[in-house]
Amino acid sequence: MISKAYKRENRISPLSATILNVIFILLSLACVLPVMLVIIVSFTHNDSLVNQGYSFFPSQWSVTAYTTLLKEFSTIAAAYRVSIGITVVGTVLSVLLMALYAYPISRKDYPFRSFFTFFLFFTMLFNGGLVSRYMIYTQTLHLKDSYIALILPLLIVPFNVIIMRTFFQTTIHPALIESARIDGASELRIFFRIVLPLSLPVLATMALFATILYWNDWFNALLFINTENKYPVQYLMMRVLKDVQYIRENMTLVSQNPELLKNLPNESLQMAIAFIGMGPILLVYPFFQKYFVKGLTVGAVKG
Amino acid sequence: MKSRKTVVFAPLALALGLSAILPACSSDNKGSSASPAATAASTSASTAAVASPQALAPYEVSIVYHGKPQKDDALVQEKLNEYLKAKMNTTVLLQPIAPSDYKKKTELMMNTGEKMDLVFTASWLDFSANVTKGAFIELDALLDKFAPDTKKALHPLYLEAPRYKGKLYAIPTNKEITQGKAFTFRKDIVDKYNIPTDKINKMEDLEPYFEIIKQKEPEMINNYVAGGPASFMMYESKSNYRPIGPVPAKLPMFFLDYKSQEMKVKTVLDQDIIDLNKADAEMFRRYYEKGYTNADAATVTTNIADIRKQGKIWQQTTVWKPGSDIELKLSDNFDWVSHVIEEPIVTTDLATGSMLSISRTSKNPERAMMVLNYLHTDPYVINLVVNGIEGKHYKKISANRIEPIKDSGYDGGLFWVLGNQFLNYLKPGQPDDLYESWKKFNNDAKRFPLLGFVFDDTNVKNEIAQLTTIVNEYKVISTGAVPNPVKLLDERNAKLKAAGLEKVKTELQTQIDAWWKENKK
């Protein structure tokens, strides 16, 4: 029960309440409206797009974009399969591996702690660049056109490992580990039975990060994938957008070869693809959300 | 105790550390990509004896080309392999790359020395820069030996253009060798208002008709302009000056009088060109003020094709080749007539607009050339690649005419990319004599004096970058949408001058003189 006095003391004056509400309403509108616009444009008739531009109230509606997409159903279904596949496998592996890296370097009694922390940190400062990355994957590891090439590059995100390390350091008290060891638990047992269950918030947060990272990745597909049915959904989407932009920038080329314009998706189609591309991540998000704040409080004191 | 921990975690952490560092940190490999370039010359020299096709060892020729990957690529490839396997124990690997990614991805592949055989390239894909870098091997000997029929089929001008220091580095797609420039009109409008299309030779001639159409067809946009340079008609219809490519920011700055025998470079700072520019700027301004030009000319990005489809365009400036009116009709269902206003000239840029090279990383350039020969001479092979499989992707109507099947998984957009277009089946709407008229068009085409010359901009890279920025900044002048265009032109020219236009000109002139001395016949 909250006492009356307490209530009064913490009450916000109607004026500030209104102002705060308005601010938050505006903020949420700023988040929701663009998405709404994407959906509306995807249902807009091309003629009214050309005449009016983007509008929340188009003069003509149409579902052509979606019927066009249906014709490409098998391609899109394949792309969805790829996206979901790499996201699930990638997320599980990524969280596991990052935890396995973060945990040892969080332990003060691990002798090579500072070396491996620096080793990780170093990759954040310097990276080999595109050419060397491409060479490693195609010519050393021979991963061209394989799903592994979509999963491997994103497995470990150094910054996230450091967040995890901090979480382990601040949340798992050394005494806990020590007492487990006194009870005869092995290192692996401690890690899987004690540390991981206590770290659910950070694991969930990292899982969300990894999910988003994998779901949104198109660049690795651009680099390494050559077969149409191995492309993830995001790459198909990106390609549509980039093709349109490319045509705009290369009008001379187009005027010499008008057929380049033939299958050019119009804007409602682009938006329709964007819409189906963002679907699943919107569904996944709420499930992770409750862990979000807890998992990210880097260095907070546990009460 | 301490030692036990170490045993458990050290290897684990090491493995993980490696996997973290692999993708991120491997710059030591960068250096090695340059060295294979040196071997390029030796591969081409190994054109030793080649036995009969049956005795050839199996080899897979990868073909990297500019085209969207399609659903049935694999099926087509399979069919192709059946055929080529029987003919010469060769298979192909089709590697289409989406247009927007093509340049980036192929450059990465070239820089990392990935194995490729046939590679699509073009002037607009930095062909000459890649040749200088040693990405392609020279082809003269290979062409003579393994593809004599291809050589015979190609117009000789084609083999003059893709050369560097006299050596051939690419085989162009066999199609129309050049393009004329034309005013294209919608036939119903021309008939309705009795517009004498063959008397319209420059922008100014259109003005009276703009007025009529504006009165009578208020829905129409007379002169549709989107953002950039409004029209390429200026120099072509009013002078003998032709731009020397490649042009920064797609706006010509250096010119040559193609009829004069002295190879004298003119720039936008020369008085005659300034006069032309000013007259044009004023004309575009007038059209804008009178409302002939769309009001959003400076900012709009909508493609004219979209507006044409809605029936709002009745005239447009186009690049022209026989059959281009029909191409327009196929895309938007209106009938079009064109009046060609510029005599077609073969320039380096046009003749190198679509080609195949053989990569220095090819392990068997001979075989690559043999496959290329099939693409140029065998109707079955080239139609398979371009149109797909008969019965599945198209229906055959007569010996050389087909009807594509809609949404079949292979759409036939590759005809200008690979091989010999004159062997392609005709599609609905294309006239029977299309290829005849192309051949005639090619034979009649005039040779630009600098055909084969490519400007090496190494010494003036900075200047060109600056010029490009300035040109982009002032692009809007030619839309007519800004007041006082002449003043802006002067301002732009002053900036161009300060940015070193003259230096680029001198460099260009020196290179042209040297080239001319070497190539003068």
Side-chain angles (χ1 to χ4, degrees):
Chain A
M1 272 294 126
I2 303 160
S3 75
K4 247 186 175 176
Y6 178 83
K7 228 177 172 180
R8 199 175 300 136
E9 211 167 87
N10 279 286
R11 195 161 56 195
I12 304 168
S13 76
L15 180 66
S16 354
T18 323
I19 293 174
L20 283 178
N21 279 334
V22 167
I23 290 175
F24 279 104
I25 287 172
L26 287 179
L27 270 180
S28 15
L29 280 182
C31 298
V32 173
L33 286 184
V35 180
M36 292 280 294
L37 188 61
V38 166
I39 297 172
I40 290 173
V41 172
S42 76
F43 283 105
T44 305
H45 195 278
N46 198 40
D47 285 354
S48 66
L49 270 181
V50 172
N51 293 332
Q52 290 181 280
Y54 293 174
S55 159
F56 283 102
F57 309 99
S59 54
Q60 278 171 288
W61 298 84
S62 133
V63 289
T64 341
Y66 291 92
T67 49
T68 320
L69 280 184
L70 267 186
K71 275 191 273 180
E72 297 275 311
F73 180 75
S74 61
T75 313
I76 291 175
Y80 249 91
R81 252 196 322 271
V82 175
S83 275
I84 292 171
I86 60 163
T87 306
V88 171
V89 176
T91 304
V92 171
L93 278 179
S94 166
V95 171
L96 181 68
L97 289 177
M98 289 200 293
L100 282 171
Y101 198 130
Y103 176 61
I105 59 173
S106 77
R107 291 268 301 263
K108 294 216 162 54
D109 49 353
Y110 175 53
F112 301 115
R113 186 167 170 256
S114 55
F115 170 74
F116 281 109
T117 312
F118 177 74
F119 192 61
L120 181 81
F121 180 64
F122 190 76
T123 63
M124 288 168 72
L125 298 179
F126 301 100
N127 88 48
L130 194 56
V131 172
S132 56
R133 169 145 67 121
Y134 186 80
M135 279 186 91
I136 288 282
Y137 279 89
T138 58
Q139 282 162 43
T140 313
L141 303 174
H142 296 286
L143 291 178
K144 203 162 190 195
D145 222 17
S146 85
Y147 295 125
I148 304 178
L150 295 178
I151 293 175
L152 197 57
L154 304 176
L155 272 181
I156 296 214
V157 181
F159 185 69
N160 290 354
V161 175
I162 288 173
I163 294 182
M164 275 177 117
R165 184 204 63 171
T166 317
F167 186 92
F168 290 143
Q169 267 172 0
T170 51
T171 316
I172 316 288
H173 200 276
L176 194 63
I177 295 167
E178 205 172 323
S179 66
R181 196 174 300 130
I182 292 169
D183 287 341
S186 66
E187 286 291 356
L188 277 178
R189 196 184 188 87
I190 295 172
F191 179 66
F192 283 108
R193 301 298 291 276
I194 294 175
V195 176
L196 285 192
L198 283 172
S199 312
L200 275 183
V202 80
L203 295 183
T205 311
M206 290 309 143
L208 178 67
F209 283 172
T211 311
I212 292 176
L213 192 63
Y214 277 105
W215 186 263
N216 284 342
D217 175 55
W218 54 270
F219 192 65
N220 288 309
L222 159 78
L223 290 183
F224 303 120
I225 302 296
N226 278 336
T227 320
E228 182 70 359
N229 57 17
K230 283 184 185 164
Y231 283 119
V233 131
Q234 301 294 341
Y235 174 76
L236 290 187
M237 211 163 103
M238 206 58 206
R239 198 171 74 190
V240 168
L241 296 178
K242 280 171 43 175
D243 279 350
V244 174
Q245 199 188 358
Y246 176 75
I247 299 274
R248 279 211 189 109
E249 283 164 7
N250 291 282
M251 283 317 287
T252 10
L253 174 64
V254 174
S255 57
Q256 285 161 26
N257 304 289
E259 66 284 354
L260 278 175
L261 283 175
K262 203 177 68 187
N263 289 324
L264 196 67
N266 56 37
E267 282 166 86
S268 50
L269 183 61
Q270 297 170 29
M271 295 303 168
I273 299 176
F275 180 48
I276 63 164
M278 69 186 160
I281 215 76
L282 288 181
L283 293 180
V284 172
Y285 198 80
F287 294 101
F288 288 107
Q289 206 185 12
K290 60 175 175 179
Y291 296 106
F292 214 53
V293 180
K294 251 180 160 180
L296 272 183
T297 39
V298 187
V301 182
K302 202 109 157 94
Chain B
M1 242 230 275
K2 212 165 185 186
S3 68
R4 200 170 134 222
K5 257 180 329 210
T6 324
V7 172
V8 174
F9 286 106
L12 203 57
L14 184 71
L16 289 170
L18 276 181
S19 76
I21 212 161
L22 264 184
C25 209
S26 42
S27 51
D28 51 324
N29 272 295
K30 245 181 192 163
S32 66
S33 66
S35 61
T39 61
S42 65
T43 22
S44 67
S46 68
T47 351
V50 170
S52 67
Q54 284 75 22
L56 291 171
Y59 184 72
E60 184 184 67
V61 173
S62 67
I63 310 178
V64 179
Y65 58 91
H66 184 273
K68 210 179 265 183
Q70 304 190 59
K71 216 166 62 192
D72 286 352
D73 283 334
L75 290 178
V76 170
Q77 181 177 315
E78 198 182 306
K79 274 264 178 198
L80 208 54
N81 286 344
E82 263 169 42
Y83 184 82
L84 291 174
K85 187 102 192 151
K87 288 272 182 194
M88 53 175 194
N89 207 10
T90 300
T91 51
V92 295
L93 178 68
L94 296 181
Q95 290 193 290
I97 299 177
S100 49
D101 295 335
Y102 189 84
K103 197 167 165 190
K104 184 167 193 184
K105 203 161 166 178
T106 46
E107 253 154 36
L108 199 55
M109 289 162 92
M110 287 185 241
N111 289 343
T112 54
E114 189 167 324
K115 187 233 160 199
M116 301 186 277
D117 295 293
L118 293 171
V119 184
F120 178 81
T121 181
S123 50
W124 43 275
L125 291 170
D126 286 349
F127 167 71
S128 51
N130 285 325
V131 169
T132 346
K133 274 193 270 174
F136 307 129
I137 62 171
E138 48 159 302
L139 301 175
D140 286 296
L142 287 173
L143 181 69
D144 286 338
K145 190 152 186 186
F146 297 102
D149 298 334
T150 303
K151 193 175 179 180
K152 237 176 278 163
L154 281 169
H155 194 287
L157 284 186
Y158 259 140
L159 295 174
E160 271 186 45
R163 286 183 183 272
Y164 176 68
K165 297 198 170 150
K167 286 172 187 147
L168 185 69
Y169 285 93
I171 312 290
T173 305
N174 199 4
K175 54 187 194 97
E176 79 283 358
I177 197 166
T178 177
Q179 280 147 334
K181 282 164 187 171
F183 286 112
T184 299
F185 306 92
R186 226 170 80 183
K187 197 155 184 315
D188 52 333
I189 302 288
V190 166
D191 292 346
K192 196 167 163 190
Y193 298 102
N194 283 320
I195 300 171
T197 54
D198 49 345
K199 290 216 181 81
I200 295 174
N201 289 316
K202 44 187 195 295
M203 262 333 242
E204 280 85 345
D205 300 341
L206 280 164
E207 202 166 347
Y209 306 103
F210 281 171
E211 192 53 44
I212 297 175
I213 304 289
K214 192 180 182 231
Q215 303 286 321
K216 305 253 169 84
E217 311 270 346
E219 275 288 281
M220 292 264 179
I221 303 171
N222 276 299
N223 178 36
Y224 182 74
V225 177
S231 168
F232 45 68
M233 294 314 226
M234 314 186 185
Y235 310 108
E236 282 85 349
S237 56
K238 292 173 190 166
S239 72
N240 288 330
Y241 293 123
R242 294 294 177 274
I244 307 171
V247 288
K250 292 171 186 117
L251 192 85
M253 282 193 267
F254 304 98
F255 304 86
L256 196 73
D257 183 341
Y258 80 105
K259 285 194 170 152
S260 120
Q261 278 310 302
E262 47 178 317
M263 298 290 115
K264 203 164 170 316
V265 180
K266 297 246 175 182
T267 71
V268 283
L269 298 182
D270 275 284
Q271 198 53 46
D272 355 2
I273 309 251
I274 292 180
D275 292 344
L276 272 177
N277 273 338
K278 283 191 175 163
D280 278 325
E282 273 165 354
M283 173 190 72
F284 281 118
R285 181 66 191 157
R286 192 166 70 241
Y287 289 175
Y288 187 82
E289 281 176 332
K290 289 195 176 169
Y292 302 151
T293 306
N294 48 318
D296 52 4
T299 51
V300 74
T301 54
T302 310
N303 194 314
I304 191 165
D306 283 338
I307 298 173
R308 211 169 48 217
K309 278 182 199 150
Q310 295 184 315
K312 287 191 177 170
I313 301 289
W314 71 275
Q315 74 79 26
Q316 132 178 47
T317 47
T318 53
V319 282
W320 189 88
K321 65 192 175 199
S324 50
D325 294 350
I326 291 146
E327 269 174 15
L328 278 187
K329 181 183 162 73
L330 288 178
S331 86
D332 56 22
N333 286 321
F334 291 108
D335 278 310
W336 297 85
V337 282
S338 285
H339 173 55
V340 182
I341 51 105
E342 182 216 17
E343 141 177 74
I345 298 174
V346 190
T347 61
T348 311
D349 264 355
L350 279 174
T352 55
S354 160
M355 312 185 287
L356 280 179
S357 283
I358 297 180
S359 164
R360 68 171 161 82
T361 55
S362 170
K363 300 214 165 61
N364 196 336
E366 299 85 8
R367 207 68 66 84
M369 185 54 90
M370 287 157 84
V371 169
L372 187 140
N373 194 37
Y374 270 97
L375 290 172
H376 273 268
T377 54
D378 191 324
Y380 176 76
V381 171
I382 186 60
N383 278 298
L384 194 55
V385 175
V386 171
N387 293 312
I389 299 161
E390 186 181 344
K392 187 166 173 56
H393 301 125
Y394 64 85
K395 280 185 295 217
K396 212 155 178 194
I397 294 173
S398 69
N400 67 339
R401 189 169 275 283
I402 57 162
E403 172 105 46
I405 296 172
K406 261 201 151 179
D407 305 318
S408 63
Y410 205 81
D411 81 350
L414 291 173
F415 53 85
W416 62 279
V417 178
L418 295 169
N420 187 348
Q421 204 181 336
F422 297 113
L423 296 178
N424 283 188
Y425 295 138
L426 292 168
K427 285 185 207 151
Q430 292 183 323
D432 286 324
D433 63 348
L434 178 69
Y435 298 142
E436 297 309 311
S437 42
W438 273 8
K439 278 175 194 158
K440 190 176 169 310
F441 183 67
N442 282 354
N443 290 334
D444 293 348
K446 224 182 164 126
R447 190 179 180 287
F448 190 62
L450 289 181
L451 178 65
F453 169 77
V454 175
F455 181 46
D456 173 10
D457 65 0
T458 331
N459 294 334
V460 286
K461 271 211 159 81
N462 289 337
E463 283 80 6
I464 289 195
Q466 281 186 49
L467 296 177
T468 307
T469 321
I470 297 169
V471 163
N472 274 330
E473 189 186 330
Y474 284 91
K475 232 158 53 173
V476 78
I477 298 176
S478 56
T479 62
V482 282
N484 243 330
V486 170
K487 203 179 123 219
L488 280 175
L489 256 180
D490 286 335
E491 203 178 299
R492 182 197 76 175
N493 288 347
K495 279 198 192 175
L496 287 176
K497 189 164 187 168
L501 189 85
E502 301 289 352
K503 188 180 165 199
V504 181
K505 179 189 167 178
T506 319
E507 175 76 23
L508 189 56
Q509 185 72 59
T510 323
Q511 286 187 29
I512 288 178
D513 291 343
W515 183 87
W516 190 242
K517 214 176 266 168
E518 223 171 88
N519 291 275
K520 204 170 185 176
K521 277 144 206 154

